[in-house]
């Protein structure tokens, strides 16, 4: 049984006297399974709340969001995933506690994964957006206390206290930044005499800001092994910031000369121009009229315009927004009807991507939606495409960073199992094999595809009214908050930030009744209990295992 008085490991990581390489294979196997479950929960909860604003504002359909996130999360995890992963997040557990019994460390990481994944899945089932980072931190804290007591945990500002403070600081900061962004859009663009024209004029500016922030965010937060720009040599720093500035400037010029004219012809003149024709827009003549919009938001606008023009729709009634936009393709539908293993799998994935999110329980929350001020529909649609960029960048960076919540503990379990070595927990950084990153990326994608819709519903129009300009402000405010916090070393959660940004933009309606305060209170409650519940589950399991009676051969 481990003891706090065991001698610490030397810096050379010697072989353990009680464990040889490939001992306790069962711990590696169950750790592998539990890491998959934890990554599944990350996809169903963490990734889902990142795309909730885009789906709720009808910028993209649920299926499109799932397609974007599937590729972005997986590529982010595999291509930009950390080659080394912190297994003890933020130095939360005191160093050198496991002495020369690394098998106990393997057991502890497995229990931490169980505690984290159990709570994340419970929260997802109830529609609560919680921090998967704080969940695994809670699991590690709980198992540490179970073995070594409360003194083993860093409770000060450099440990638990900073995490607790982030529960309140990060949503407030994100809400403030998102509100400022939205108020600029509201008074400069939406309140103008011609909102659509003003939106086109200011579009390059928003492109410059959006691309710049998200590119910097992905380089800083996604590429975990990159040198901090503050510590770079002067020449390298000039090249780094100069490259970002040049890239954002080129994107802004492209949007001014090609993208804005394309949007004007597609949204205002309703010509049938394809996305690949954007660079050719100034050279193309008049195109046939567009019959279908590029976004769900535009589809509703076109239906409303046709109804206002007294178009006779009774001969062929149109299905509801959710059914029309999210219906499965013919191929998937045919596969789902077949009573085969592949057909049953197809049915599961089809169900997870066709559920209505934007209009879920619309009648129940109609009063909440009506409290918000509505603006020019075409001007709103201008921000749909900016929001797609923001969601894609954020998803790519999320896959590269937060996959460590599930794969970090697995990587440590694998390292101990394969090497039979004792690790010092002061600076545990273990190599993560590419197969682990791919393993985590696949699990995250499956979680999003099959169950991500449940959290999207809660964070969508159930909290406040969403529109493309509002959703864009929420996403950009969240990215800016996380980027700033990364510099300051504050372990903020993107979940907390997007929730705070949603509430902040909702308050810009000028009415307290424009927010669902009951649901926000439940979200805050779920944040407060994340550490104790995840830690309690992990701690109880760990205490049961390490204090269990041992059978003696007689």
């Amino acid at each position: 049984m481990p003891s706090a008085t065991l001698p610490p490991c030397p810096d050379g990581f010697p072989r353990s006297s009680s464990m040889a390489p490939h001992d306790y294979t069962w711990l590696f196997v169950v750790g592998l399974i539990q890491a998959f479950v934890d990554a599944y929960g990350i996809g169903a909860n963490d990734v889902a709340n990142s795309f909730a604003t885009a789906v709720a504002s009808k910028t993209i359909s649920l299926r499109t969001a799932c397609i974007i996130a599937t590729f972005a999360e997986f590529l982010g995890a595999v291509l930009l995933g950390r080659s080394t992963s912190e297994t003890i997040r933020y130095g939360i557990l005191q160093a050198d506690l496991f002495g020369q019994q690394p098998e106990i460390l393997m057991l502890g990481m497995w229990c931490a994964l169980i505690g984290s994944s159990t709570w994340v899945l419970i929260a997802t089932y109830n529609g609560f957006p919680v921090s998967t980072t704080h969940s695994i931190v809670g699991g590690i804290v709980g198992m540490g206390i179970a073995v070594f007591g409360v003194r083993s945990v860093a409770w000060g500002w450099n440990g638990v206290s900073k995490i607790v403070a982030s529960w309140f600081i990060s949503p407030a900061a994100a809400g403030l930044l998102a509100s400022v962004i939205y108020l600029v859009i509201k008074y400069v663009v939406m309140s103008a005499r011609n909102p659509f024209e003003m939106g086109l004029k200011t579009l390059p500016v928003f492109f410059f800001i959006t691309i710049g922030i998200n590119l910097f965010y992905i380089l800083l937060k996604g590429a975990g092994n990159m040198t901090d720009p503050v510590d770079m040599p002067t020449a390298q720093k000039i090249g780094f910031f100069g490259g970002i500035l040049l890239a954002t400037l080129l994107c802004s010029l492209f949007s001014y000369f090609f993208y804005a004219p394309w949007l004007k012809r597609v949204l205002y003149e309703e010509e049938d121009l394809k996305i690949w024709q954007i660079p050719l827009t100034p050279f193309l003549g008049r195109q046939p009229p567009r019959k279908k919009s590029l976004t769900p938001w535009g589809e509703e606008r076109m239906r409303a315009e046709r109804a206002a023009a007294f178009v006779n729709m009774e001969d062929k009634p149109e299905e509801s927004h959710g059914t029309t936009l999210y219906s499965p393709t013919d191929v998937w539908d045919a596969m789902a009807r077949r009573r085969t293993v592949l057909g049953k799998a197809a049915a599961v994935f089809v169900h997870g991507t066709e559920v209505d999110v934007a209009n879920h329980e619309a009648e129940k929350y109609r009063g909440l939606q009506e409290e918000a001020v509505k603006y020019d529909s075409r001007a709103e649609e201008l921000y749909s495409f900016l929001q797609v960029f923001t969601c894609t960048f954020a998803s790519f960076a999320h896959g590269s960073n937060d996959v460590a919540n599930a794969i970090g503990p697995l990587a440590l379990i694998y390292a101990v199992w394969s090497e039979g070595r004792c690790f010092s927990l002061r600076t545990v950084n273990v190599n993560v094999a590419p197969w682990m990153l791919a393993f985590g990326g696949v699990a995250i994608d499956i979680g999003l595809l099959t169950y991500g819709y449940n959290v999207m519903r809660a964070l969508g129009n159930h909290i406040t009214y969403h529109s493309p300009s509002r959703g864009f402000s929420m996403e950009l405010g969240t990215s800016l908050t996380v980027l700033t916090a990364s510099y300051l070393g504050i372990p903020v959660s993107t979940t907390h930030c997007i929730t705070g940004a949603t509430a902040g933009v909702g308050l810009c309606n000028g009415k307290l009744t424009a927010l669902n305060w009951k649901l926000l209170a439940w979200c805050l409650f779920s944040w407060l209990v994340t550490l104790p519940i995840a830690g309690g589950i992990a701690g109880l399991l760990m205490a049961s295992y390490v204090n269990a009676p041992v059978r003696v051969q007689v």
Side-chain angles (χ1 to χ4, degrees):
M1 183 181 301
S3 171
T5 60
L6 287 174
C9 296
D11 293 336
F13 299 155
R15 301 277 183 194
S16 169
S17 59
S18 60
M19 178 182 176
H22 302 121
D23 277 354
Y24 301 98
T25 300
W26 71 271
L27 271 177
F28 168 62
V29 173
V30 296
L32 192 70
I33 296 172
Q34 204 61 45
F36 185 91
V37 175
D38 198 33
Y40 177 92
I42 292 173
N45 195 294
D46 223 18
V47 180
N49 67 56
S50 299
F51 277 87
T53 57
V55 177
S57 61
K58 299 167 187 174
T59 291
I60 52 179
S61 68
L62 175 60
R63 175 158 295 176
T64 302
C66 289
I67 292 173
I68 293 174
T70 296
F71 286 98
E73 292 283 336
F74 182 80
L75 292 175
V78 174
L79 299 180
L80 278 185
R82 297 167 186 256
S83 60
T84 61
S85 180
E86 296 175 296
T87 54
I88 307 299
R89 304 300 297 264
Y90 313 120
I92 205 72
L93 199 62
Q94 297 291 346
D96 303 327
L97 291 177
F98 287 90
Q100 292 185 345
Q101 287 189 286
E103 63 273 22
I104 301 299
L105 181 58
M106 291 176 65
L107 180 65
M109 289 297 106
W110 176 49
C111 292
L113 285 170
I114 293 176
S116 174
S117 59
T118 301
W119 167 240
V120 169
L121 290 177
I122 291 174
T124 303
Y125 175 79
N126 289 282
F128 298 151
V130 296
S131 170
T132 57
T133 301
H134 293 175
S135 296
I136 192 63
V137 167
I140 293 172
V141 167
M143 74 90 175
I145 292 176
V147 181
F148 301 106
V150 294
R151 293 184 179 181
S152 63
V153 178
W155 298 103
W157 179 251
N158 291 325
V160 175
S161 296
K162 185 184 289 187
I163 293 176
V164 173
S166 73
W167 296 344
F168 306 97
I169 296 174
S170 57
L176 178 62
L177 289 172
S179 300
V180 170
I181 295 170
Y182 176 67
L183 289 174
V184 170
I185 296 174
K186 177 180 178 180
Y187 290 109
V188 174
V189 178
M190 297 301 175
S191 300
R193 181 174 299 179
N194 191 329
F196 184 78
E197 288 293 333
M198 182 58 71
L200 285 177
K201 291 178 181 178
T202 58
L203 193 64
V205 178
F206 284 110
F207 250 93
F208 184 87
I209 297 172
T210 302
I211 299 298
I213 290 177
N214 282 285
L215 187 59
F216 193 79
Y217 172 76
I218 228 181
L219 290 175
L220 183 69
K221 187 173 174 66
N225 296 320
M226 186 190 72
T227 303
D228 192 315
V230 176
D231 300 326
M232 289 180 178
T234 303
Q236 188 178 355
K237 189 181 298 183
I238 293 174
F240 176 77
F241 287 104
I244 293 178
L245 181 62
L246 179 61
T248 53
L249 183 60
L250 289 176
C251 289
S252 299
L253 291 174
F254 179 83
S255 69
Y256 179 81
F257 289 107
F258 300 99
Y259 185 59
W262 181 82
L263 281 177
K264 183 176 182 179
R265 294 179 63 173
V266 169
L267 300 180
Y268 188 76
E269 300 173 7
E270 295 192 346
E271 295 183 46
D272 190 15
L273 289 173
K274 305 298 187 294
I275 293 179
W276 61 267
Q277 292 177 315
I278 293 177
L280 307 175
T281 301
F283 313 106
L284 295 175
R286 181 75 183 181
Q287 300 295 306
R290 174 175 291 275
K291 297 181 179 180
K292 186 177 181 180
S293 178
L294 295 174
T295 65
W297 178 272
E299 282 293 304
E300 288 200 347
R301 173 181 59 80
M302 292 179 71
R303 280 199 297 270
E305 290 175 352
R306 288 197 297 267
F310 304 101
V311 176
N312 186 4
M313 303 286 289
E314 296 180 355
D315 293 337
K316 188 179 180 180
E318 194 164 3
E319 297 179 352
S320 67
H321 171 264
T323 304
T324 302
L325 291 174
Y326 304 147
S327 59
T329 62
D330 293 338
V331 175
W332 278 90
D333 194 43
M335 290 173 60
R337 292 194 191 101
R338 298 178 181 176
R339 296 183 178 180
T340 62
V341 175
L342 184 60
K344 292 178 180 178
V348 171
F349 283 98
V350 165
H351 171 73
T353 60
E354 70 175 349
V355 177
D356 189 8
V357 171
N359 293 323
H360 182 250
E361 296 184 335
E363 290 299 323
K364 179 180 179 181
Y365 296 97
R366 183 177 298 278
L368 186 72
Q369 311 301 317
E370 292 176 349
E371 293 293 326
V373 181
K374 313 300 192 298
Y375 296 102
D376 182 81
S377 186
R378 282 187 173 85
E380 286 278 8
E381 201 169 354
L382 290 174
Y383 297 93
S384 297
F385 306 95
L386 279 170
Q387 195 179 5
V388 172
F389 284 125
T390 304
C391 288
T392 304
F393 275 118
S395 181
F396 192 74
H398 178 274
S400 64
N401 184 78
D402 282 12
V403 70
N405 292 333
I407 300 305
L410 174 64
L412 182 54
I413 291 174
Y414 177 75
V416 173
W417 173 75
S418 60
E419 298 292 333
R421 293 172 181 255
C422 179
F423 288 88
S424 167
L425 296 185
R426 188 179 301 277
T427 55
V428 173
N429 284 291
V430 294
N431 291 327
V432 180
W435 70 265
M436 291 188 191
L437 297 174
F439 177 79
V442 169
I444 288 174
D445 287 344
I446 294 176
L448 172 68
L449 290 170
T450 57
Y451 205 42
Y453 62 85
N454 210 41
V455 172
M456 287 190 192
R457 284 172 169 174
L459 262 180
N461 289 311
H462 291 189
I463 290 182
T464 189
Y465 173 74
H466 281 62
S467 67
S469 64
R470 289 174 168 90
F472 165 70
S473 303
M474 297 169 190
E475 292 284 349
L476 192 59
T478 297
S479 296
L480 190 56
T481 302
V482 173
L483 176 63
T484 305
S486 297
Y487 257 127
L488 299 177
I490 301 175
V492 300
S493 165
T494 54
T495 303
H496 298 176
C497 289
I498 193 63
T499 306
T502 302
V505 172
L507 286 174
C508 291
N509 290 299
K511 301 177 182 178
L512 292 178
T513 52
L515 280 171
N516 186 342
W517 293 101
K518 181 179 180 180
L519 183 54
L520 285 173
W522 275 111
C523 289
L524 177 60
F525 175 75
S526 69
W527 301 347
L528 297 177
V529 300
T530 291
L531 253 70
I533 290 182
I537 295 172
L540 287 173
L541 284 174
M542 189 67 178
S544 300
Y545 288 132
V546 298
N547 295 298
V550 178
R551 183 172 64 88
V552 179
Q553 295 289 344
V554 292

